[in-house]
Amino acid sequence: MKSRRSWRILSLLVLMVAAVAAMPLSAYAEVPYWTNSKEKQGRLIWTQPAYTPEGIFGKELTIPNKDKPGETSPSPLQNPKDLFIDKNDHIYVADTGNNRIVEFDQNGTFVRYITTEGGGKPFNKPEGVFVTDSLDIYVADTGNKRVVRLDKDGKFVREYIKPNSKYIPEAFKYDPTRLVVDKRGFLYIAVLGGYQGLLQLDPEGNFQSFYGANKTIFSPLDAMKRLLYTKEMYANEISKLPGAISSVAADDDGFMYTTTAGQGIKTEQIKKLSIKGLNMLESKAFGEIRRFDVRFATGGQVTSQLVDLTIDSNGNITAIDSSYKYINQYDANGNLLFFWAGPSSANTTQLGLMKNPVAVDANSKNDLFLLDGQEGVIQLFKLSEFGAKVNEANKLTLAGRYEESEKHWREVLRLNASFSPAILGLAKAAYKQGNYQEALELFKQGDDHKGYSDAFWQIRLQWFQSHFSLMASILIIAAILYAVLEKSTRKAKWRKAWRNRVRSKNNFIVQFKHMFYLLKHPIDGFTALRYEFKGGYLSAIILLIGAYASIVIMRLFTSFSFNMVDIRRVNIIAILIQFVLIWLGWVVANYLVSSIYRGEGRFKDVFVGSAYALIPVILVGIPLAVISNVMTTSELAIYDFIENILYVWTAAMIFWKIQSLQNYSVGETIVNIFLTIVAFATLAILALVVIGLSSDLKDFIIEVYQEVKMR
């Protein structure tokens, strides 16, 4: 028996190993990190590596030994700040700590050191380097507060010092850190702490403008201060300035890209600038986070810190995050493709992981070279087969060549069935080919609400074109039949008998019918609840069930075009608990406030009236969820209007309920609502405190019990 059981266990282990080997995670064994993408809803997708680490170089640098002619001494990179790859794939590094520029060839082999005595000054902590197509070398010589231009042989050509211009503030500090030179020879310079934007100079060094400045971020607290403070009080507050640009890069078409790193910056960390300096990537949030990696972030920061970026030949944007040590890659429209890597061990240099990433650039093969400022090394990440397939497919999609991209996306999807960009690429290809039903399903699978709506619009159009004559005929015939039937039965006995029927006096039916009276005469209707007993607990509970059902139906059955909630994550039990707690909390808070604040309503009146006030949720919510399934986002204004009617109508019913039941004036009703909100918030805080203390008490009792038991 033991032998047979051992064989069963061994067989089970073999099957488990085989199952794990078949999963995409098997690809992770090649690299020391996870590679991820994300769905539209933000869920992580695990993928095969898009890039694989291939090597490290930069530590073996030497210089001639002055004391021992013919011998060399180690001279590794010290606190390097920037890296640039020219058209020949040669790599230039701003070796800040050694006051030099280091050039390597395409294989990472040392070529030369570039230093200069130009202008009578050697380099002093250079932090940026850029090389033009003509191989002119521009260096941001930060310590000397200048930009130096060298020819291809490293000889001094000229320097660009702080320009004289009345448009430059006197307090402006000219400490160049990064720069780009466009095809006209214009310089775009990022300066340390320069919140005004990039400093734009012409080829002669004349000031042109500040370019691509960031917006000032105001929190709700700042807005409140501006509203309540006097000018003198607000003047004493710390000045709110836009974030300073941390890096700048350019693509093959001449568009400028910037990164902005700073505490609290969550959107527009990456910007693609138009000729006017406006952001062409909209207000997107960049910088990816795996929630379980937050504890490893530098300084415990929750937001990403994107310090540098590069644009490859496919238009992909690759940015490095100094907080989480991630490499983030987006396509030309700012949509996430991959993010990978992570923090290196504190004691060793780990291939593929980083201690302090400071710069990144791509060569002509779209391989990435990443500079680690703390380690003083350059890491090479080669584009993997999977990454190359994604890039090729995405490039065709962005170019509008959807049919050509289809086979590439299908191959990507074969390798990783969960890869969201592949699903959306196939959806666009199906849409382009007129396969709207397939596109509809793929857009929904890929969480693309806009694409889903566009595909549904085409399906709806085709349906109307096919059935318009039939539908029109049915409507005309129905109208004629109704008119004939109405006229012919106008004096019929059964219609007279129906009009004169005896009305039911059943208490529940009377209360149920009172709901419809409330819709026409809300103030009188709520007054009748109090003085004519037109409402009861049973009818109120039925209305509450209806309101809860309406909320669930809206969450589950609203069209995907308008429903931003992932129905796979909708928990009807959680919704029920939230609904009951919020509604009961409101009822209790409102009753307590009304009792103190000269109200006349009983608890039953508040309970029943609050339930009847939710009638609009039922009457509008359920039909809205139903009709949304025949609407597209082109009718978004209509959908929003109806949804706003639901909220405004419900709020009005609550207002009239309080006014009528408590016999308040309009002003007293407003005060009552405000105090009820305060009371509700207080009850919620007290409940959280009690729950927290109860949990601590439980833990204390368990610990005491265990201590006594052990003794």
Side-chain angles (χ1 to χ4, degrees):
M1 289 294 291
K2 290 183 178 179
S3 176
R4 185 176 299 174
R5 183 178 299 172
S6 299
W7 275 107
R8 287 177 180 174
I9 294 173
L10 181 61
S11 300
L12 181 60
L13 289 173
V14 171
L15 288 174
M16 290 173 64
V17 171
V20 172
M23 296 172 64
L25 287 170
S26 61
Y28 303 157
E30 308 171 9
V31 296
Y33 50 72
W34 286 324
T35 302
N36 294 107
S37 186
K38 283 184 179 180
E39 295 180 343
K40 290 276 188 176
Q41 295 286 349
R43 292 185 298 272
L44 283 179
I45 302 170
W46 272 260
T47 77
Q48 296 87 338
Y51 288 81
T52 56
E54 293 292 331
I56 296 178
F57 59 94
K59 276 198 169 184
E60 292 74 26
L61 296 175
T62 61
I63 57 175
N65 191 326
K66 295 180 180 179
D67 299 328
K68 298 180 180 179
E71 296 185 15
T72 59
S73 300
S75 182
L77 299 173
Q78 290 188 19
N79 194 28
K81 294 291 188 181
D82 194 19
L83 172 148
F84 187 85
I85 299 176
D86 69 13
K87 67 176 184 179
N88 298 321
D89 287 341
H90 278 221
I91 305 156
Y92 297 78
V93 177
D95 189 4
T96 307
N98 288 315
N99 299 318
R100 66 193 181 188
I101 304 298
V102 184
E103 181 181 353
F104 302 88
D105 67 12
Q106 62 270 27
N107 299 314
T109 303
F110 170 75
V111 174
R112 60 174 171 165
Y113 297 120
I114 301 173
T115 59
T116 180
E117 295 290 338
K121 293 180 287 188
F123 286 142
N124 182 11
K125 294 182 171 45
E127 293 192 10
V129 59
F130 183 89
V131 183
T132 65
D133 289 343
S134 60
L135 300 183
D136 284 344
I137 304 167
Y138 288 77
V139 179
D141 191 10
T142 310
N144 287 323
K145 300 182 182 299
R146 63 176 181 169
V147 171
V148 177
R149 177 183 174 186
L150 311 173
D151 64 16
K152 63 181 180 181
D153 297 320
K155 295 180 180 179
F156 179 82
V157 176
R158 65 166 299 162
E159 65 179 4
Y160 298 86
I161 60 174
K162 179 180 177 180
N164 290 318
S165 174
K166 62 181 180 180
Y167 300 108
I168 299 178
E170 292 184 8
F172 178 77
K173 293 185 178 181
Y174 183 63
D175 298 314
T177 56
R178 300 292 172 90
L179 76 157
V180 162
V181 182
D182 68 14
K183 295 177 182 179
R184 305 170 299 166
F186 280 66
L187 287 75
Y188 296 81
I189 304 169
V191 300
L192 185 64
Y195 62 87
Q196 297 91 344
L198 296 172
L199 183 68
Q200 185 185 36
L201 306 181
D202 67 14
E204 302 303 318
N206 299 311
F207 174 76
Q208 297 298 304
S209 67
F210 286 110
Y211 179 75
N214 293 308
K215 298 176 182 177
T216 303
I217 299 175
F218 282 98
S219 66
L221 180 60
D222 295 320
M224 185 175 294
K225 287 179 179 178
R226 293 187 69 175
L227 181 65
L228 301 177
Y229 283 17
T230 63
K231 290 183 179 180
E232 293 75 14
M233 294 170 64
Y234 195 75
N236 293 327
E237 290 289 306
I238 297 175
S239 299
K240 283 283 184 177
L241 300 175
I245 293 173
S246 57
S247 186
V248 57
D251 64 13
D252 294 339
D253 297 322
F255 287 104
M256 298 293 161
Y257 296 74
T258 63
T259 59
T260 301
Q263 183 67 31
I265 297 175
K266 297 181 180 179
T267 60
E268 295 191 341
Q269 280 208 52
I270 297 176
K271 297 201 298 185
K272 179 181 180 180
L273 301 174
S274 67
I275 192 171
K276 294 183 178 180
L278 302 177
N279 186 15
M280 300 170 64
L281 294 178
E282 302 175 350
S283 297
K284 290 188 176 182
F286 295 94
E288 309 308 319
I289 297 175
R290 301 187 195 102
R291 288 299 172 189
F292 48 81
D293 281 349
V294 170
R295 62 187 183 279
F296 298 121
T298 300
Q301 294 194 49
V302 177
T303 56
S304 299
Q305 302 293 307
L306 302 183
V307 295
D308 193 33
L309 80 166
T310 185
I311 319 301
D312 64 23
S313 61
N314 291 321
N316 294 332
I317 307 165
T318 304
I320 51 174
D321 178 1
S322 65
S323 181
Y324 291 92
K325 322 303 182 192
Y326 292 159
I327 305 173
N328 305 277
Q329 188 169 83
Y330 306 87
D331 68 17
N333 290 334
N335 301 310
L336 177 67
L337 293 177
F338 308 100
F339 68 101
W340 69 95
S344 173
S345 170
N347 301 320
T348 60
T349 300
Q350 293 178 271
L351 182 63
L353 302 177
M354 299 160 286
K355 287 188 173 67
N356 182 29
V358 294
V360 64
D361 208 350
N363 64 11
S364 59
K365 298 177 183 178
N366 293 328
D367 297 328
L368 297 174
F369 292 80
L370 190 136
L371 181 62
D372 191 320
Q374 182 174 334
E375 289 287 307
V377 297
I378 302 165
Q379 294 202 39
L380 166 61
F381 291 84
K382 278 191 171 293
L383 188 63
S384 69
E385 181 182 359
F386 180 73
K389 289 181 183 297
V390 171
N391 279 347
E392 180 62 25
N394 199 58
K395 184 178 180 180
L396 292 170
T397 296
L398 292 177
R401 296 157 64 182
Y402 301 110
E403 294 89 343
E404 295 178 51
S405 71
E406 182 177 4
K407 63 179 182 180
H408 298 285
W409 283 128
R410 292 200 182 280
E411 178 64 16
V412 171
L413 211 58
R414 184 186 68 80
L415 296 172
N416 190 325
S418 301
F419 193 58
S420 184
I423 296 171
L424 295 177
L426 288 175
K428 293 172 183 176
Y431 183 88
K432 183 70 173 180
Q433 296 171 32
N435 300 326
Y436 300 120
Q437 188 61 44
E438 180 185 358
L440 185 81
E441 296 168 359
L442 288 170
F443 278 127
K444 186 172 184 179
Q445 186 179 349
D447 283 327
D448 189 330
H449 297 269
K450 179 65 169 59
Y452 177 92
S453 178
D454 292 341
F456 181 73
W457 191 92
Q458 295 290 347
I459 293 171
R460 189 181 68 176
L461 178 63
Q462 290 179 345
W463 189 90
F464 272 116
Q465 289 174 339
S466 301
H467 298 83
F468 178 76
S469 59
L470 176 62
M471 294 296 296
S473 299
I474 291 174
L475 288 174
I476 293 172
I477 292 171
I480 293 173
L481 288 175
Y482 176 79
V484 171
L485 186 64
E486 169 68 19
K487 187 174 182 179
S488 61
T489 62
R490 188 171 296 170
K491 297 182 180 180
K493 292 182 180 180
W494 63 269
R495 290 188 64 174
K496 185 177 180 180
W498 173 255
R499 288 192 295 268
N500 297 328
R501 69 188 183 280
V502 178
R503 310 292 178 175
S504 174
K505 295 184 179 180
N506 181 278
N507 194 40
F508 174 74
I509 294 177
V510 171
Q511 293 176 359
F512 183 80
K513 290 170 64 177
H514 187 68
M515 292 186 292
F516 300 98
Y517 179 81
L518 266 170
L519 300 178
K520 297 179 181 179
H521 310 284
I523 295 178
D524 292 341
F526 282 117
T527 302
L529 291 179
R530 170 72 176 88
Y531 297 104
E532 299 178 22
F533 308 103
K534 290 293 182 71
Y537 283 116
L538 179 59
S539 58
I541 291 172
I542 291 174
L543 279 174
L544 289 174
I545 294 172
Y548 165 70
S550 177
I551 293 171
V552 171
I553 289 171
M554 290 177 69
R555 294 279 186 91
L556 293 176
F557 299 107
T558 296
S559 169
F560 183 76
S561 298
F562 306 100
N563 192 1
M564 301 302 160
V565 177
D566 184 0
I567 62 173
R568 292 171 292 184
R569 294 189 173 186
V570 172
N571 187 330
I572 59 175
I573 303 300
I575 295 174
L576 176 61
I577 294 172
Q578 293 172 5
F579 176 77
V580 170
L581 289 178
I582 292 173
W583 187 84
L584 276 179
W586 169 265
V587 168
V588 171
N590 185 243
Y591 172 71
L592 293 176
V593 169
S594 300
S595 298
I596 299 171
Y597 190 60
R598 301 187 303 277
E600 298 179 3
R602 302 164 301 178
F603 179 81
K604 178 182 179 181
D605 301 326
V606 176
F607 185 98
V608 174
S610 297
Y612 274 68
L614 298 180
I615 294 174
V617 176
I618 303 172
L619 294 183
V620 179
I622 295 176
L624 181 60
V626 173
I627 65 172
S628 70
N629 288 278
V630 296
M631 299 172 69
T632 68
T633 52
S634 59
E635 292 95 33
L636 180 61
I638 299 174
Y639 179 88
D640 287 342
F641 177 74
I642 298 174
E643 189 176 37
N644 289 334
I645 287 177
L646 185 154
Y647 298 134
V648 172
W649 192 4
T650 303
M653 293 289 279
I654 292 172
F655 185 91
W656 290 324
K657 182 266 298 184
I658 295 174
Q659 183 182 15
S660 301
L661 293 180
Q662 307 299 340
N663 195 20
Y664 283 153
S665 65
V666 172
E668 290 174 328
T669 305
I670 294 173
V671 172
N672 179 279
I673 292 174
F674 174 76
L675 294 176
T676 299
I677 293 173
V678 173
F680 179 83
T682 304
L683 289 174
I685 294 171
L686 288 174
L688 291 174
V689 170
V690 170
I691 292 171
L693 292 176
S694 300
S695 177
D696 292 340
L697 179 61
K698 181 192 70 174
D699 294 339
F700 174 74
I701 293 172
I702 292 173
E703 289 176 4
V704 170
Y705 170 76
Q706 291 175 342
E707 182 72 20
V708 172
K709 185 177 179 181
M710 291 177 65
R711 290 179 182 274

